[in-house]
Amino acid sequence: MKFGIVTFPGSNCDYDAYRAIVDSLGQDAIYLWHKDYDLAGADVVILPGGFSYGDYLRPGAIARFSPIMREVASHAKRGGPVLGICNGFQIACEAGLLPGALLRNESLQFVSAPVQLRVENNQTMFTSGYAHCQVLTLPVAHGDGRFTADSSTLAEIESAGQVVFRYAGADGEVGKHANPNGSSNDIAGIVNANGNVLGMMPHPERALDCLFGSDDGLPLFESILATVAA
C-alpha cells in the first residue's frame, strides 16, 4: 500500500507522517508537492500538520487552492481515504471535504501539550483498532483548533456518528476542564458523511512509541491499513 503525504509551503509535520508510515507501519510513502497534478498512485492521502502558507488569511484558506487539492478531492469523492491532521484538518474543512471550521483557540493562546481524547465511534476505517470510549493520549500543537459549526450541522454530525474523537479527561469524562481550545461539543475529530475523510487536531503520528510518551496513535494507522488492504 502506498501513502501520499502532501507538502504545502509551511508544512512541518510531513516528515513525521512519512516516518510514521515507513518506520512504524512498514508501508511505502511518497511526498506529494502541492503543485502536483496527480497522486502518483497513492492509496491513502495524508494532509499533515504545519502552517500552510504561513496561515495567512486563516489556516488552510490558501492551501485549499493548491493544484493537488483537486486530486485529493477527486480521490475522496471516489471513496479513497484522506487523513487530515491539525493543519490538514483545517485544510480539509476549507476545501469542503469536511463540515465546519477551525477557529482561534478560545484562550487566544497557542496550546502545545499532551491531551486525552475519547473514541466516540470505532466503526470507521480510521478507528476500528480502538475500543468504543477508549481514552487515548495524543499531543496537540495549535493556535486555531476550536472546531465550530452552525447548530444544524452540529446536530447532523452528532446524530450521524460523524464525531469520532472528543476531548476528555483521563477518566473519560468530557467537559470544559479537558477541552484545550473551546471546540464545540468538545469535538477533537470528525469524519465526512461517507466515512472516508477524517480530520483531527491531535497528532497521532507523534504518538507511536511509549518512549515518546504514548503509542496511542499507532492503532489509527493500523486501522487504515487493515481496511484498505482487505
Side-chain angles (χ1 to χ4, degrees):
M1 186 186 304
K2 183 188 289 185
F3 288 70
I5 299 157
V6 181
T7 299
F8 300 92
S11 295
N12 64 13
C13 298
D14 46 342
Y15 184 76
D16 292 344
Y18 181 92
R19 299 305 341 164
I21 299 304
V22 173
D23 295 345
S24 298
L25 208 60
Q27 298 297 308
D28 291 336
I30 55 172
Y31 292 111
L32 300 170
W33 182 233
H34 76 114
K35 289 186 176 180
D36 288 347
Y37 284 87
D38 69 77
L39 300 182
D43 303 294
V44 181
V45 174
I46 296 179
L47 302 175
F51 302 91
S52 58
Y53 293 92
D55 280 355
Y56 291 125
L57 298 182
R58 61 181 179 273
I62 300 177
R64 63 162 293 196
F65 293 107
S66 288
I68 194 67
M69 287 306 297
R70 288 195 289 270
E71 306 305 321
V72 174
S74 296
H75 175 74
K77 190 175 182 179
R78 293 192 298 269
V82 178
L83 170 61
I85 303 169
C86 197
N87 189 226
F89 186 10
Q90 297 159 345
I91 294 169
C93 289
E94 291 287 338
L97 301 180
L98 290 169
L102 282 305
L103 303 181
R104 185 69 57 89
N105 293 346
E106 192 172 54
S107 66
L108 303 182
Q109 300 293 314
F110 189 92
V111 177
S112 179
V115 300
Q116 280 75 46
L117 48 154
R118 191 176 71 190
V119 179
E120 299 293 284
N121 183 353
N122 69 340
Q123 302 298 308
T124 78
M125 68 168 64
F126 304 96
T127 55
S128 59
Y130 297 114
H132 180 57
C133 288
Q134 182 176 345
V135 177
L136 315 178
T137 298
L138 300 178
V140 295
H142 58 248
D144 297 81
R146 178 162 56 98
F147 179 79
T148 189
D150 59 69
S151 57
S152 62
T153 299
L154 279 174
E156 183 178 342
I157 64 176
E158 289 282 3
S159 63
Q162 291 176 241
V163 177
V164 175
F165 298 118
R166 213 182 298 273
Y167 297 111
D171 57 0
E173 291 296 319
V174 300
K176 191 174 180 64
H177 67 287
N179 187 332
N181 49 41
S183 285
S184 298
N185 295 5
D186 305 304
I187 290 172
I190 60 171
V191 290
N192 65 342
N194 292 328
N196 63 300
V197 180
L198 169 66
M200 60 189 297
M201 289 311 296
H203 286 265
E205 82 282 14
R206 296 183 185 175
L208 301 175
D209 193 317
C210 289
L211 183 64
F212 300 107
S214 172
D215 61 355
D216 287 345
L218 186 57
L220 187 146
F221 294 102
E222 291 175 336
S223 297
I224 300 171
L225 180 61
T227 300
V228 178

